[in-house]
Amino acid sequence: MNIQKIDYNTSIMHESPLFSGYYIETLRHTDVLLGRGVGINRRAGNVYFREVVSQHVEDYLTSTKTRKMEISRSIIDHIHALNPPGRFLEKDEVTGSWRECEIKRAHEKTAQALRDGAARLRTNKRPISGEEKKNNTAIPQLLPRPAKKQRNNNIERNCA
């Protein structure tokens, strides 16, 4: 695995009084934001991150624990090697500012994304496109359910 050193001093940062990290004033289109919601999911960096993750899911599914960690690390390295360098950022709920998270958190986010993708593969589901949602034509590809046993309600009971 080829690990490159990245210069993270290309944007304006201020030292945080609450964290050992720095607050980020300017977000980049390559940044991956940790969190939930449509706004975060639609950011270019997060969309690209999910695309990169989806390219590794099948390999992740059949890998050993050591290989899974290598896959996760390679995705993080790939994001860091973008131009401009991508960062994994989390929001400080007190100040509302973004700061770069520790590498451990980036690993957790990446591993969770890989597990989510692997779970979709295992259940043979496919993502539903926006067009399918709009037209209500999405057909889930789930395994068929076993047939239910039908009760026989036509049995006559003898009452004494």
Side-chain angles (χ1 to χ4, degrees):
M1 184 183 324
N2 185 10
I3 299 174
Q4 295 179 313
K5 291 192 175 189
I6 305 295
D7 179 15
Y8 293 105
N9 297 321
T10 57
S11 69
I12 302 168
M13 299 181 183
H14 298 290
E15 194 163 347
S16 163
L18 302 175
F19 303 103
S20 60
Y22 293 90
Y23 287 131
I24 309 294
E25 283 188 358
T26 307
L27 297 178
R28 303 175 187 154
H29 68 278
T30 54
D31 288 337
V32 177
L33 305 183
L34 280 64
R36 297 175 161 233
V38 175
I40 288 176
N41 283 335
R42 289 185 180 166
R43 285 204 40 94
N46 289 56
V47 170
Y48 182 73
F49 171 75
R50 286 193 305 274
E51 288 174 9
V52 172
V53 165
S54 70
Q55 295 170 3
H56 294 29
V57 169
E58 285 189 44
D59 187 24
Y60 185 85
L61 189 61
T62 59
S63 294
T64 63
K65 184 176 182 179
T66 302
R67 177 70 182 130
K68 288 178 179 182
M69 290 172 60
E70 290 172 359
I71 292 168
S72 177
R73 181 62 198 198
S74 72
I75 293 171
I76 294 167
D77 289 344
H78 179 80
I79 297 297
H80 285 166
L82 295 173
N83 187 13
R87 303 166 293 188
F88 288 82
L89 305 177
E90 56 188 358
K91 196 168 202 171
D92 175 3
E93 296 302 325
V94 175
T95 65
S97 298
W98 292 96
R99 68 177 182 92
E100 193 163 5
C101 68
E102 295 178 7
I103 194 73
K104 182 179 177 183
R105 270 298 272 135
H107 271 289
E108 290 169 359
K109 169 137 179 110
T110 305
Q112 184 62 53
L114 287 161
R115 285 192 300 273
D116 290 347
R120 279 192 294 277
L121 273 181
R122 278 191 203 103
T123 58
N124 199 22
K125 291 181 185 175
R126 63 179 174 81
I128 298 171
S129 72
E131 190 65 29
E132 288 174 321
K133 283 181 183 177
K134 189 168 90 176
N135 297 332
N136 200 20
T137 58
I139 301 170
Q141 298 177 346
L142 301 175
L143 298 173
R145 288 185 174 178
K148 286 186 176 181
K149 293 181 182 178
Q150 292 188 352
R151 290 178 30 181
N152 189 351
N153 292 332
N154 298 332
I155 299 175
E156 293 182 21
R157 297 182 186 213
N158 292 333
C159 297

